[in-house]
Every structure is written in structure tokens, then in C-alpha cells.
Amino acid sequence: MCEIEGNHLTAAAIIGLDGSVWAKSSTFPQFKPAEIDAILNDFNEPGSLAPTGLHLGGSKYMVIQGEAGVVIRGKKGPGGITIKKTNQALLIGIYDEPMTPGQCNLVVERLGDYLYDQGY
């Protein structure tokens, strides 16, 4: 899954803005619709997740710098999450060491930019 410098994402998914799963890895956590709704809300109202944290599949991530309305990044221990919004979907990448936050960002955001350019 998206190898970069020999490292791979732990889990990844493409979720439609309506909450439908377009594609996901077998390791992607089972999530609740409310968790996706909260993520979508943060894209519309940047900073809304910061006080409570980003929750996905029962895991809580501390929200760190992102690109308001475009990218949300989160940290949990030695790993984290990057979420990129396109016209029609959310691209979600979850990583653990030895992958770095920057490598995860690169993988998720490049694919997101590609899909955005294709009209997705």
C-alpha cells in the first residue's frame, strides 16, 4: 500500500462525502458514520475537531496543523493519520513507525491531488 522509501501506510481508505466506502485496505478500522460527519464538519469549520480530537474506528488522534478546508492531520503515539478532501471523497491514510508523518502526508496528498485533478 503506497510504498515510500520502503515504508507503507498501516491502513488506507477512500470514503465518499456521503459516507460510502469506495475502497479500503483490509486493515482499515471499522468506523461510525458520526466519525465521518465530524471529519467533514472540520473541513467546513476548520478547528472544530481540535478541542475533542479526531476519532476514527475507536482511536483518538490529537489534531495537528493541516491545511484548513483541504487537509486534516492527526497524531497518536508514534503514528498518526492524514485526511485529504477532494470534490467527492476523503482519502484517509493511517501510519505507524517507521513511516514518518511527512511520508504519510506525501502519499495521501499526492493521490488526493491526482483525484481532485481528475474531477473526483
Side-chain angles (χ1 to χ4, degrees):
M1 255 189 320
C2 304
E3 181 178 330
I4 185 165
E5 297 175 21
N7 297 321
H8 299 82
L9 294 173
T10 304
I14 302 174
I15 311 289
L17 296 182
D18 62 358
S20 62
V21 176
W22 291 10
K24 70 180 182 85
S25 64
S26 60
T27 54
F28 197 79
Q30 183 67 40
F31 60 87
K32 298 180 179 120
E35 293 171 327
I36 298 301
D37 291 343
I39 291 167
L40 286 170
N41 185 59
D42 193 79
F43 281 109
N44 296 326
E45 298 174 30
S48 64
L49 284 177
T52 59
L54 185 160
H55 295 263
L56 187 69
S59 292
K60 179 180 176 181
Y61 298 87
M62 178 180 67
V63 178
I64 55 176
Q65 51 80 9
E67 193 178 332
V70 182
V71 176
I72 298 171
R73 297 182 182 113
K75 188 86 175 118
K76 179 183 174 200
I81 188 167
T82 301
I83 305 170
K84 168 84 175 185
K85 184 179 181 222
T86 68
N87 294 316
Q88 300 179 27
L90 297 175
L91 279 77
I92 304 173
I94 300 172
Y95 69 94
D96 283 305
E97 287 183 330
M99 183 173 255
T100 67
Q103 290 171 330
C104 180
N105 296 343
L106 195 64
V107 167
V108 173
E109 293 174 37
R110 274 193 184 163
L111 181 56
D113 289 342
Y114 171 78
L115 290 176
Y116 186 85
D117 291 344
Q118 300 303 310
Y120 294 101

